[in-house]
Amino acid sequence: MKKFATILAAATFALPLAFAAPLAASAATTATAATTTKAAKATTYNVVKGSLKNFKAKSYHIKTNIPLYSAKFSSNKAKVSFTRKGNLTKPVTYKVTQSVKVKTKTNKTASFYYVKGYGYVQASKITKGIYMPAD
């Protein structure tokens, strides 16, 4: 009975330390990750008049990883702000349901497509058609 009491006493002291050390380490890494993460910078463009189009879903696929953006449209002006939110990486067929043409700062036009469920991508970086894996 004395051995059981000794084991129980040792476990009551050791268990809190066993759980506290990993929690402290994860809190430290979370704090460092939060301080090193930079806020994504938004790029604002002028929308070309009459270029915002909604259409029936069309199939597109990607060949390499491409940047993915979230968009905020201005309610008063013909402006849109794109903020990078990650990459589109899966080699599958995506459905595109919207397009928008914008004027860049050098007065060239660029197109962005809305990939349903993900966000906006540059039209020049996505390929029309369904994805077919190589043999």
Side-chain angles (χ1 to χ4, degrees):
M1 194 66 157
K2 190 173 182 179
K3 285 184 182 178
F4 180 71
T6 306
I7 293 171
L8 187 61
T12 57
F13 290 119
L15 282 176
L17 292 175
F19 289 116
L23 292 176
S26 68
T29 56
T30 305
T32 4
T35 57
T36 58
T37 305
K38 293 181 180 177
K41 190 174 179 183
T43 306
T44 304
Y45 298 106
N46 290 329
V47 177
V48 175
K49 187 175 182 179
S51 69
L52 184 61
K53 297 184 178 169
N54 294 317
F55 45 83
K56 189 176 175 183
K58 295 179 183 177
S59 297
Y60 282 81
H61 67 279
I62 60 172
K63 295 182 179 180
T64 60
N65 296 347
I66 59 173
L68 188 63
Y69 302 95
S70 62
K72 291 187 179 181
F73 289 89
S74 175
S75 61
N76 301 0
K77 301 174 186 171
K79 292 190 181 273
V80 61
S81 295
F82 289 107
T83 306
R84 185 162 178 182
K85 67 176 192 177
N87 286 329
L88 203 56
T89 58
K90 295 179 190 174
V92 297
T93 301
Y94 296 101
K95 298 295 182 180
V96 171
T97 59
Q98 189 180 58
S99 69
V100 62
K101 284 185 183 176
V102 296
K103 248 191 208 233
T104 62
K105 292 180 172 121
T106 58
N107 284 335
K108 294 183 179 181
T109 58
S111 294
F112 285 87
Y113 289 148
Y114 177 72
V115 178
K116 190 174 181 181
Y118 295 95
Y120 285 86
V121 296
Q122 287 182 340
S124 61
K125 298 194 178 186
I126 194 165
T127 308
K128 192 170 188 172
I130 62 172
Y131 172 73
M132 299 181 91
D135 290 336

